[in-house]
Amino acid sequence: MEVNNRPWYWIPILNFASGLPYAIIISVSVIMYKNLGISNEDIGIYTSLLYLPWVIKPLWSPFIDLYSTKRKWFLAMQLLISIAFLIVGLSIPMNHFFLISLAVFWVAAFASASNDVASDGFYLLALEKDQQSFFLGIRSTFYRLSMLTGNGLIVIIGGYLEQEYGDKQKAWSYTMIIVGLLMTLITVYNYFATPRTEKAIVKNSVEAKKASFSSVFSSFFQKKQIGIVLAFILLFRLGESQLLKMLTPFLIDDINVGGLGLTTQNVGIIYGTFGVLSLTIGGIIGGIVISRDGLGKWMLPMFLAMHLPIIGFILLAHFHPASVYYIYATVIAEQFGYGFGFAAFMMYLIYVADGESKTSHYSIATGFMALGMMLPGMISGYIQEYLGYGNFFIWVFLATIPGLILSRFLIFPKEYGKKSA
């Protein structure tokens, strides 16, 4: 293992390369399809189905553990993602673009899920334990920054091109081509910046071959408290999974149907400015406090910080304030809380995966997390249409309670993640 491998050079962009495809496939596709005339119900169910590769990635993650190196895997997958986004851009002006783009997004989703497995494994293998806890906040922050680049900068570009051309199909076609070119540049950077810890990773792969696929999976389900652990992972993001799907339609929909009536460009600016800054600060602070005091002391406060800002969207949906500053304040609170709180959740998943076959076990844990995002997201459009935006956000807030309750029953070392003296 190369301990002095300059992690500041590669951790930020490697995790940016994990988050950006996820943002485009899961979040920006919602905005794109909304502007191209697809209904909330279809957006909810079909874009949520794109979570499936992240749900079932444990089925093929052992292959990434056993064959080749993590570095070769994530570079190949990032190149495939780049090509897929270029094809999506070219398909938008075609007939049946919805079906074609969804099919290509599926390919990109499988590549992105594989990229996540390889990148996570590379992170766990290339860094010592105390480095992992310290860089967790940086890792989480740049992952989320990439999400905001999609929901911010990319959406701003899409909105600008909509106004420039007066043709939403052309605007989003060019936008997706730009995303494909950006991913290509990121892939080239990661090729040169990531350390070539080939020998250490190959050695790990050879050792992993001694274990069969069945033993890798069965050993995960033999972990302590596995029933409570899986229930927690599945339910913790129950509210967030629905919020993420319907938040953009809420911001864009006209006031007469309960939305806020913002333009596509407005949405991009809100998330791409103060949202980025708030998330960055929250994520860095989250990693620092865990590294300083351990996960036990901060888990509940961090989880509360992540969920309580949903109250702001309840107020926006009921009162529809005329000033955009109320929207900014809500987004700032939500992004800071997300960056701060999600670091705790990811640190706990690292604890769950700790031990032998930790790359595959981390993949299994995040697969269950994706399942907890996919299923509620699929029905979120129908729930929103039935309840209306105001009552929908109340329901989303209530949906965070089961995960908070289960978190109090989790048993783990209270100083887990704390930097050693």
Side-chain angles (χ1 to χ4, degrees), residues 129 132 223 349-356 358 361-362 416:
K129 189 75 66 179
Q132 291 176 22
K223 291 179 179 289
L349 293 189
I350 289 177
Y351 165 74
V352 171
D354 210 1
E356 294 184 8
K358 56 187 174 183
H361 286 183
Y362 189 80
Y416 188 81

Side-chain angles (χ1 to χ4, degrees), residues 22 39 68 116 134 150 162 211 220 231 293 303 309 311 324 341 371 375 388:
Y22 184 88
S39 68
S68 193
D116 290 351
F134 177 80
E162 285 180 359
F220 177 83
D293 300 321
F303 286 170
I311 295 173
V324 73
L371 181 63
L375 296 178

Side-chain angles (χ1 to χ4, degrees), residues 76-354:
M77 293 301 100
Q78 288 170 23
L79 180 60
L80 179 57
I81 293 165
S82 304
I83 295 170
F85 286 153
L86 291 171
I87 294 174
V88 169
L90 295 174
S91 72
I92 289 175
M94 299 179 182
N95 294 328
H96 310 295
F97 81 92
F98 186 47
L99 180 62
I100 296 171
S101 60
L102 278 175
V104 180
F105 273 141
W106 260 75
V107 174
F110 275 99
S112 182
S114 301
N115 175 61
D116 290 351
V117 173
S119 298
D120 291 339
F122 191 80
Y123 175 81
L124 296 174
L125 289 167
L127 298 181
E128 300 289 357
K129 189 75 66 179
D130 59 344
Q131 288 181 306
Q132 291 176 22
S133 61
F134 177 80
F135 280 101
L136 185 65
I138 305 299
R139 190 170 183 247
S140 176
T141 296
F142 274 87
Y143 184 91
R144 188 62 176 169
L145 278 174
S146 66
M147 304 268 304
L148 289 177
T149 298
N151 293 325
L153 178 61
I154 300 303
V155 174
I156 290 173
I157 292 173
Y160 170 78
L161 293 178
E162 285 180 359
Q163 294 181 347
E164 185 73 15
Y165 292 112
D167 183 339
K168 291 184 177 180
Q169 280 194 332
K170 181 183 289 188
W172 282 101
S173 176
Y174 289 169
T175 300
M176 291 305 303
I177 290 172
I178 291 170
V179 172
L181 295 175
L182 176 60
M183 266 307 296
T184 303
L185 292 176
I186 290 171
T187 305
V188 172
Y189 176 88
N190 285 329
Y191 175 81
F192 289 104
T194 51
R196 289 166 174 79
T197 54
E198 302 289 337
K199 291 182 180 179
I201 297 174
V202 170
K203 179 182 177 183
N204 180 273
S205 295
V206 171
E207 292 172 350
K209 290 179 182 178
K210 298 177 182 178
S212 66
F213 285 1
S214 60
S215 65
V216 169
F217 285 106
S218 62
S219 61
F220 177 83
F221 294 100
Q222 292 168 7
K223 291 179 179 289
K224 295 179 180 179
Q225 282 198 303
I226 189 61
I228 294 177
V229 168
L230 291 180
F232 168 71
I233 294 174
L234 285 168
L235 292 176
F236 178 71
R237 303 181 76 182
L238 178 61
E240 179 201 352
S241 61
Q242 299 172 77
L243 178 70
L244 289 178
K245 284 298 171 189
M246 291 298 112
L247 183 54
T248 298
F250 168 63
L251 296 175
I252 293 176
D253 265 337
D254 291 335
I255 295 176
N256 58 7
V257 295
L260 295 181
L262 300 180
T263 66
T264 303
Q265 207 165 2
N266 288 149
V267 174
I269 291 172
I270 289 173
Y271 275 96
T273 52
F274 292 105
V276 169
L277 181 62
S278 301
L279 175 99
T280 304
I281 295 172
I284 292 174
I285 293 175
I288 290 174
V289 298
I290 293 175
S291 178
R292 186 189 67 188
D293 300 321
L295 182 60
K297 178 179 178 180
W298 286 98
M299 177 179 272
L300 181 59
M302 293 173 83
F303 286 170
L304 289 174
M306 186 175 174
H307 294 318
L308 288 176
I310 295 173
I311 295 173
F313 293 110
I314 296 174
L315 297 175
L316 288 177
H318 279 85
F319 295 105
H320 292 86
S323 175
V324 73
Y325 293 112
Y326 290 102
I327 302 174
Y328 273 88
T330 303
V331 170
I332 288 171
E334 185 262 337
Q335 290 299 308
F336 176 86
Y338 189 98
F340 186 60
F342 198 64
F345 182 63
M346 297 308 291
M347 192 73 229
Y348 179 72
L349 293 189
I350 289 177
Y351 165 74
V352 171
D354 210 1

